[in-house]
Amino acid sequence: MAEEAAASTPPQLSAAPLGSSVIPIVNKLQDIFAQLGSQSTIELPQVAVVGSQSSGKSSVLESLVGRDFLPRGSDICTRRPLVLQLLQTKRKPDGSEEEYGEFLHLPGKRFYDFSEIRREIQAETDREAGGNKGASDKQIRLKIFSPNVLDINLVDLPGITKVPVGDQPSDIEARIRTMIMSYIKQPSCLILAVTPANSDLANSDALQIAGNADPDGYRTIGVITKLDIMDRGTDARNLLLGKVVPLRLGYVGVVNRSQEDILLNRSIKDALVAEEKFFRSRPVYTSLADRCGVPQLAKKLNQILVQHIKAILPGLKSRISSALVSVAKEHASYGEITESKAGQGALLLNILSKYCEAFSSMVEGRNEEMSTCELSGGARIHYIFQSIFVKSLEEVDPCEDLTNDGIRTAIENANGPRSALFVPEVPFEVLVRRQIARLLDPSLQCARFIYDELIKISHRCMVNELQRFPVLRRHMDQVIGNFLRQGLEPSETMIGHIIEMEMDYINTSHPSFIGGSKAVELANQQIKNSRVPLPIRSKDGSEPDKALTSERSNKSRAILARQVNGIVADQGVRPVADGEKLPSTGSTSISTWGIPSIFGGSDNRTSVKESSTNNKPYSEPVHDAEHSFSMIHLREPPTVLRPSEDRSETQAIEIAITKLLLRSYYDIVRKNIEDSVPKAIMHFLVNHTKRELHNVFIKKLYRENLFEEMLQEPDEIASKRKRTRETLRVLQLAFRTLDELPLEAETVERGYSLGSDPTGLPEIHGLPTSSIFKWKWAPLHARPLSHSLSVSHLNVKLCRTPPTKAGISK
Ligand SMILES: Nc1nc2c(ncn2[C@@H]2O[C@H](COP(=O)(O)OP(=O)(O)OP(=O)(O)O)[C@@H](O)[C@H]2O)c(=O)[nH]1
């Protein structure tokens, strides 16, 4: 009845629950985890009680939890492992608490009456293990929800029994041992090895099985129960001092409720008071206060939990600090909200200046985020100039699209109605102009490429910073786009002028130009060298070795084109041109270029004349003598006239000269263009943009009436800023909290008071400390429990008083 009454009163822990003083610290840490958005929790070690049957395991566990809910009795009670999950719940808004249990096998059913929990454990044990003392290794899982507990698992295990009774199989002892071992061999399991004081400790099943699972004793605490029913005249001093069986973490002696107390419904609270009274009334235990009583056991466990928490703190701290750095960076990227006009103006000005600075830096290669994987910014501009533009121009052969026939046609056209006396200047100029004109397109294309590059660079400037101001970004892109287009126009005009200038005046006095005399000399040389073998023209007019000679000729040209000024005396076989017939003699008289006379020998002239007469298109029909007085009819000139196919040596020389001149002059122009086009683009487009961009921005965008519009932020950014600011605040708080976490033994001992903590959790204390319970235990000798429990070193602050020699059990 009393127990029922206790259960119905507002749930209040009546004793020092396990880990009570650690709860606030763990809560704080859990809060930090939660605020970090982390799913992980602080995993506290599981605590298992082991021992022989009826040694008092369940009683110890109950005392630690502070609630009556486990079946206890002089007979076998725990016949299935009971995994007790303590789960901390939030206090209700009105401050009231709610404690209840829930079984895994009865999901959704809440047990607010703890004696009902006990009845359900008994019933569930019977269901699985039968009603006649049978045991089963099938767990009963019970969750206890309370605002006053630590999230920790406690395991009540069946007691070790020797002689099978009831329905127990013959190997009951082995079975139970195996079952117990499966729990306590886990390195994260803390073992409470329970031995009644009225039995022989040296024969303790609890210590024996715990020793098997934890040979070094880093996670075994010895618990001596039933100190109150020891033989008269005996005491547990030596046991507690570890003189009988040494234990690294030592022993704690407790007095639980007797069977009589249970029958009388004596509460745990009363039992704890009685226990305190018991130790106080036994002078033999006075000096062992730190190892006597359930509160001391709870304290010892708390200390181990604190050590465990300490071990996980450094990892937690480094996680928080790295999160702090990245969140702070993100927060900074969203900037601050600026409301005043002056502030907005300054912000806008700052952005514009920074943008221009970033643009210039990228063009000049001073960009901080310089890539090591690919060319960027100014380097790409250089590449376009040198590796694309210049290289392409150098690969062009000015005579590439000119056939010998073409050149000859041009020459004949230039001669007009006369036969040429001099090497005609006009065809060279016409042809060279045509080649120069070809340079316009690649030059304009080059300017376009650079323009595209600048647009790309502009898009890469301040990408992150301007995310916040999409309207401004759009406007800036527009302004710089227009401005670059405007810069492209004068550079294109300039390129046009450069090409026109080159075409307008063919400077045959250029010092690098080959000049007429030299060209004639070289041409003669070439003709002479290539006189034998003469290409034999077949009937259809094709030359068998045309392809070959043409190829050679191309090669020679290529060599020629690579020489300085484009001139080299071609020593090898240098057929003048495709399909040329070379004269047998090469004697020519040479004048200087300009008015160069290349009077061919009379033979040549004759041969030209002859060849012209023999030329089919011009040849007249042969008339009979009888028709000599009749009207002579001329053949109608064809609509399209071409020069005769037969070529004189003079013509061959003329063609060769023209080509030499073309190449030489083209080379001069090409170099000029290669030099001046990039200069024009740099001046009118690139550098002009660098110089003027800031002014243009100011002129177009820095207007007070536009501030608001330009600095408009998307809602998303505002909410991101708010969110990161909050996260930042939480992280900073978490970092501070970790630093200030009172993990010193003294504070933990007292129960960490949250004071005016906004979570509103109450102060939680253990039992009032009387002089007899004055804590002296100092775990200086403690060693890591396991990997998950361990701390590599203990904080010296944990040690208030040096441990007594006896306390350091070996
Ligand atoms: N006088 C006295 N009786 C105790 C003490 N501890 C336990 N008991 C009694 O011993 C009996 C067994 O206690 P339990 O807590 O059920 O022991 P247990 O080890 O859990 O038992 P099983 O689970 O059956 O193995 C009960 O009647 C308890 O009242 C104690 O310190 N002093």
Side-chain angles (χ1 to χ4, degrees):
M1 276 293 286
E3 195 177 276
E4 312 261 302
S8 55
T9 52
Q12 192 96 66
L13 288 180
S14 48
L18 171 64
S20 61
S21 54
V22 190
I23 289 174
I25 296 170
V26 173
N27 283 346
K28 277 267 176 196
L29 292 174
Q30 301 287 30
D31 280 353
I32 290 171
F33 274 122
Q35 284 162 344
L36 286 175
S38 156
Q39 290 300 310
S40 58
T41 50
I42 297 168
E43 277 187 23
L44 292 174
Q46 174 169 287
V47 180
V49 280
V50 297
S52 52
Q53 197 178 297
S54 296
S55 54
K57 301 180 293 297
S58 305
S59 302
V60 168
L61 219 52
E62 267 191 338
S63 301
L64 284 172
V65 177
R67 294 300 300 250
D68 281 296
F69 63 100
L70 296 176
R72 283 150 292 128
S74 49
D75 208 350
I76 179 168
C77 290
T78 313
R79 293 184 284 134
R80 286 175 64 182
L82 175 74
V83 178
L84 194 62
Q85 271 181 279
L86 304 185
L87 292 162
Q88 197 187 49
T89 50
K90 288 264 174 276
R91 215 163 282 268
K92 282 183 171 177
D94 63 0
S96 64
E97 303 171 350
E98 192 178 60
E99 283 181 321
Y100 60 92
E102 209 176 294
F103 288 96
L104 184 71
H105 63 270
L106 292 172
K109 183 169 181 190
R110 293 183 173 184
F111 290 79
Y112 291 94
D113 181 348
F114 277 60
S115 57
E116 242 187 74
I117 291 179
R118 179 186 310 124
R119 280 194 287 275
E120 180 54 37
I121 293 173
Q122 277 162 342
E124 177 60 17
T125 304
D126 287 351
R127 273 194 285 272
E128 183 64 28
N132 194 14
K133 298 176 181 153
S136 161
D137 57 4
K138 199 171 166 207
Q139 292 178 349
I140 296 176
R141 293 192 77 101
L142 169 64
K143 286 180 181 173
I144 301 278
F145 297 89
S146 163
N148 305 314
V149 294
L150 263 187
D151 286 344
I152 195 168
N153 282 5
L154 306 172
V155 188
D156 192 11
L157 292 163
I160 299 165
T161 180
K162 310 265 181 204
V163 183
V165 290
D167 290 343
Q168 292 172 354
S170 55
D171 60 346
I172 182 75
E173 184 183 357
R175 283 187 187 212
I176 290 183
R177 280 179 184 276
T178 311
M179 186 199 304
I180 293 173
M181 276 303 273
S182 71
Y183 287 87
I184 64 172
K185 72 177 180 202
Q186 304 294 332
S188 62
C189 184
L190 198 57
I191 307 166
L192 297 185
V194 181
T195 313
N198 54 3
S199 71
D200 185 359
L201 195 66
N203 286 324
S204 165
D205 290 326
L207 290 179
Q208 189 256 329
I209 199 164
N212 286 346
D214 171 34
D216 297 325
Y218 286 127
R219 50 191 179 92
T220 305
I221 299 174
V223 182
I224 311 289
T225 55
K226 307 190 183 180
L227 294 189
D228 57 321
I229 54 170
M230 290 183 78
D231 268 356
R232 282 178 188 274
T234 60
D235 61 65
R237 244 188 97 80
N238 284 346
L239 305 182
L240 297 176
L241 288 171
K243 285 184 178 170
V244 181
V245 180
L247 201 56
R248 198 181 286 273
L249 295 184
Y251 292 87
V252 179
V254 297
V255 176
N256 296 314
R257 286 172 297 177
S258 64
Q259 190 59 31
E260 189 189 13
D261 294 332
I262 292 166
L263 294 172
L264 290 172
N265 278 334
R266 203 171 188 183
S267 72
I268 288 183
K269 191 176 179 180
D270 289 346
L272 286 166
V273 173
E275 187 194 42
E276 187 188 355
K277 218 161 123 191
F278 171 84
F279 284 117
R280 223 183 269 170
S281 63
R282 302 285 191 287
V284 69
Y285 297 120
T286 307
S287 61
L288 302 176
D290 60 327
R291 322 155 185 228
C292 293
V294 170
Q296 293 304 320
L297 178 60
K299 212 172 284 173
K300 205 160 195 160
L301 282 167
N302 285 351
Q303 286 303 327
I304 290 167
L305 297 179
V306 169
Q307 286 171 39
H308 173 73
I309 291 163
K310 279 189 156 198
I312 60 169
L313 280 189
L316 185 57
K317 256 189 175 175
S318 73
R319 272 172 58 192
I320 291 177
S321 71
S322 59
L324 251 176
V325 171
S326 71
V327 173
K329 208 170 157 191
E330 190 189 342
H331 183 253
S333 76
Y334 300 132
E336 290 301 322
I337 309 165
T338 320
E339 307 253 294
S340 71
K341 280 276 175 218
Q344 287 176 337
L347 177 63
L348 184 61
L349 207 57
N350 190 25
I351 292 173
L352 297 177
S353 307
K354 267 175 124 180
Y355 183 95
C356 295
E357 179 60 31
F359 183 85
S360 295
S361 296
M362 278 206 198
V363 171
E364 282 161 25
R366 288 189 278 108
N367 185 22
E368 277 168 20
E369 290 161 20
M370 201 172 291
S371 167
T372 49
C373 317
E374 56 170 325
L375 294 183
S376 64
R380 287 181 64 92
I381 294 179
H382 179 263
Y383 183 89
I384 291 169
F385 283 151
Q386 297 308 319
S387 303
I388 299 180
F389 178 64
V390 169
K391 208 154 178 261
S392 302
L393 294 199
E394 275 174 0
E395 278 165 6
V396 172
D397 176 5
C399 299
E400 195 177 50
D401 58 344
L402 280 178
T403 61
N404 288 337
D405 283 343
I407 294 172
R408 198 172 145 205
T409 310
I411 291 171
E412 282 190 22
N413 279 336
N415 285 340
R418 298 173 302 277
S419 275
L421 294 177
F422 309 106
V423 169
E425 194 171 338
V426 178
F428 158 70
E429 288 207 359
V430 169
L431 293 176
V432 90
R433 263 194 206 102
R434 212 165 84 184
Q435 297 307 317
I436 295 170
R438 285 177 70 205
L439 296 174
L440 179 64
D441 282 344
S443 304
L444 291 177
Q445 214 179 350
C446 179
R448 282 260 152 204
F449 283 168
I450 302 299
Y451 163 82
D452 289 344
E453 281 306 317
L454 292 177
I455 291 281
K456 271 188 219 160
I457 291 175
S458 76
H459 287 163
R460 277 197 212 115
C461 288
M462 291 178 76
V463 177
N464 292 334
E465 295 89 332
L466 283 172
Q467 257 177 12
R468 194 183 150 197
F469 304 115
V471 180
L472 179 61
R473 168 103 243 180
R474 218 173 34 247
H475 279 85
M476 286 173 81
D477 283 347
Q478 230 165 41
V479 169
I480 195 166
N482 288 339
F483 186 56
L484 285 172
R485 259 191 303 282
Q486 282 166 17
L488 183 62
E489 273 169 34
S491 47
E492 283 180 340
T493 312
M494 187 64 201
I495 288 168
H497 286 323
I498 291 169
I499 304 285
E500 271 172 22
M501 276 156 59
E502 292 291 351
M503 286 166 68
D504 225 23
Y505 178 58
I506 306 299
N507 180 16
T508 48
S509 309
H510 193 284
S512 304
F513 186 53
I514 183 173
S517 330
K518 185 82 180 152
V520 171
E521 191 188 316
L522 277 175
N524 276 323
Q525 188 74 41
Q526 286 170 5
I527 302 296
K528 209 183 279 173
N529 292 340
S530 60
R531 191 164 296 144
V532 186
L534 280 175
I536 301 155
R537 195 177 280 269
S538 62
K539 270 191 179 167
D540 62 356
S542 68
E543 295 157 17
D545 59 347
K546 182 177 172 182
L548 182 72
T549 49
S550 171
E551 195 186 336
R552 280 186 199 142
S553 146
N554 276 339
K555 272 191 186 151
S556 307
R557 272 182 216 149
I559 295 164
L560 206 66
R562 293 286 174 273
Q563 303 312 308
V564 179
N565 303 334
I567 302 310
V568 74
D570 197 345
Q571 302 298 326
V573 178
R574 172 74 165 87
V576 169
D578 305 344
E580 286 168 8
K581 269 190 182 175
L582 295 177
S584 53
T585 58
S587 64
T588 46
S589 96
I590 303 156
S591 171
T592 50
W593 178 258
I595 321 173
S597 110
I598 49 158
F599 289 113
S602 55
D603 287 352
N604 290 341
R605 287 284 131 193
T606 319
S607 100
V608 172
K609 257 186 195 167
E610 275 170 9
S611 70
S612 312
T613 342
N614 294 334
N615 201 1
K616 266 189 182 163
Y618 297 91
S619 65
E620 291 170 13
V622 181
H623 300 289
D624 293 341
E626 57 185 2
H627 294 114
S628 56
F629 295 106
S630 61
M631 180 141 174
I632 301 168
H633 287 282
L634 285 181
R635 187 172 52 86
E636 287 282 328
T639 334
V640 179
L641 277 175
R642 297 191 203 285
S644 70
E645 280 177 20
D646 295 332
R647 249 171 252 159
S648 66
E649 185 176 316
T650 315
Q651 282 171 332
I653 291 172
E654 279 176 357
I655 291 169
I657 291 171
T658 308
K659 281 187 172 180
L660 284 167
L661 296 174
L662 265 180
R663 286 205 176 89
S664 170
Y665 197 79
Y666 175 81
D667 247 27
I668 294 168
V669 176
R670 181 180 53 75
K671 277 183 191 142
N672 288 347
I673 302 290
E674 281 173 5
D675 184 47
S676 45
V677 165
K679 279 180 179 166
I681 297 172
M682 284 305 287
H683 175 71
F684 287 103
L685 185 60
V686 181
N687 291 336
H688 174 70
T689 310
K690 261 167 45 187
R691 278 189 296 263
E692 295 301 318
L693 187 59
H694 195 250
N695 289 342
V696 174
F697 272 149
I698 301 280
K699 215 165 99 189
K700 302 269 180 195
L701 301 177
Y702 188 75
R703 306 232 182 95
E704 205 171 309
N705 58 336
L706 289 179
F707 287 174
E708 203 81 36
E709 187 195 340
M710 294 293 149
L711 299 176
Q712 218 176 301
E713 276 183 358
D715 295 346
E716 183 200 353
I717 295 284
S719 64
K720 273 185 184 166
R721 181 193 296 112
K722 206 172 152 206
R723 211 170 46 235
T724 49
R725 182 177 298 156
E726 182 53 27
T727 315
L728 200 62
R729 193 191 62 77
V730 165
L731 284 168
Q732 281 163 344
L733 197 73
F735 200 77
R736 237 189 355 258
T737 308
L738 282 187
D739 267 347
E740 292 164 3
L741 215 53
L743 290 170
E744 288 78 17
E746 212 176 328
T747 328
V748 176
E749 162 76 1
R750 272 204 315 271
Y752 168 40
S753 167
L754 290 165
S756 57
D757 189 274
T759 53
L761 283 169
E763 275 188 39
I764 302 171
H765 295 285
L767 274 181
T769 24
S770 64
S771 57
I772 197 169
F773 288 108
K774 201 162 192 301
W775 181 53
K776 284 189 189 143
W777 181 77
L780 192 67
H781 57 291
R783 289 290 183 277
L785 264 177
S786 66
H787 289 301
S788 59
L789 285 174
S790 69
V791 275
S792 52
H793 59 278
L794 282 170
N795 192 332
V796 282
K797 284 179 186 167
L798 280 171
C799 179
R800 284 185 70 204
T801 53
T804 56
K805 230 181 183 174
I808 309 171
S809 309
K810 290 269 168 349

